[in-house]
């Protein structure tokens, strides 16, 4: 059992990042899907629209569900950390956007696509993404969010759109939490 301190959160984030990188880089040439050969403006526009709208939709929905079921609403900000907003943006928005995408839409998607097909890879990586967050209440939005991220990866054969969307969503939710 680790105390919920920002130091422990940082250690866990760094270990998680190293594990994600090790798995992702263990697949020959998988790194080539991080950046696209060219930018698809329609996909980028869709990512920006979803990235702006989703934090508001999810934050209000989660707040409503938490109140409805009288569930404790934990905060995303590590107020005890020096530069708490910057620390929280790095640990809640930057790291997950990079390393969860490398893990779920990179490594895991790749392996399910190899043993099955793209549809199986889309669903399996999304279900595992949702389950990895260990929050029953969050499943109602994590699974669709994972499906959107996997769909972007599948259609564009790159992780960059998912990384951008994941960052925008998490940073948006964090900023909503910061502003109260």
């Amino acid at each position: 059992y680790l105390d919920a301190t920002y130091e422990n959160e940082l250690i866990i984030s760094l270990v998680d990042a190293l594990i994600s990188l090790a798995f992702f880089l263990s697949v020959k040439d998988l790194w080539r899907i991080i950046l696209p050969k060219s930018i698809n403006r329609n996909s980028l526009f869709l990512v920006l629209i979803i990235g702006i709208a989703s934090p508001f939709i999810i934050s209000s929905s989660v707040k409503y569900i938490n109140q409805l079921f009288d569930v404790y609403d934990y905060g995303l900000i590590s107020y005890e950390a020096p530069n708490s907003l910057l620390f929280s943006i790095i640990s809640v928005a930057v790291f997950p956007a990079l390393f969860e995408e490398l893990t779920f839409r990179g490594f895991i998607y790749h392996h399910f696509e190899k043993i099955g097909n793209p549809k199986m890879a889309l669903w399996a990586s999304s279900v595992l993404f949702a389950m990895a967050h260990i929050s029953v209440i969050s499943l109602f939005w994590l699974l669709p969010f994972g499906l959107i991220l996997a769909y972007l990866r599948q259609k564009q054969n790159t992780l960059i759109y998912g990384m951008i969307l994941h960052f925008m969503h998490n940073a948006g939710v964090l900023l909503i939490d910061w502003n109260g």
Side-chain angles (χ1 to χ4, degrees), residues 47-58:
V47 162
L48 294 175
I49 295 299
I50 295 171
I52 291 168
S54 67
F56 294 102
I57 295 167
I58 299 306

Side-chain angles (χ1 to χ4, degrees), residues 54-65 176:
S54 67
F56 294 102
I57 295 167
I58 299 306
S59 289
S60 59
S61 300
V62 167
K63 185 178 242 180
Y64 174 76
I65 290 171
I176 290 168

Side-chain angles (χ1 to χ4, degrees), residues 58-122:
I58 299 306
S59 289
S60 59
S61 300
V62 167
K63 185 178 242 180
Y64 174 76
I65 290 171
N66 285 342
Q67 289 172 347
L68 186 67
F69 293 105
D70 196 30
V71 175
Y72 171 70
D73 188 17
Y74 63 89
L76 298 172
I77 311 286
S78 297
Y79 289 105
E80 73 281 356
N83 298 311
S84 60
L85 182 59
L86 178 61
F87 176 83
S88 298
I89 287 173
I90 291 168
S91 66
V92 173
V94 174
F95 271 37
L98 296 175
F99 300 112
E100 288 181 6
E101 292 310 305
L102 291 177
T103 300
F104 292 99
R105 265 64 65 184
F107 180 80
I108 292 172
Y109 182 97
H110 170 79
H111 283 287
F112 276 107
E113 188 176 43
K114 291 288 182 212
I115 63 171
N117 58 52
K119 187 176 182 178
M120 178 187 178
L122 182 133

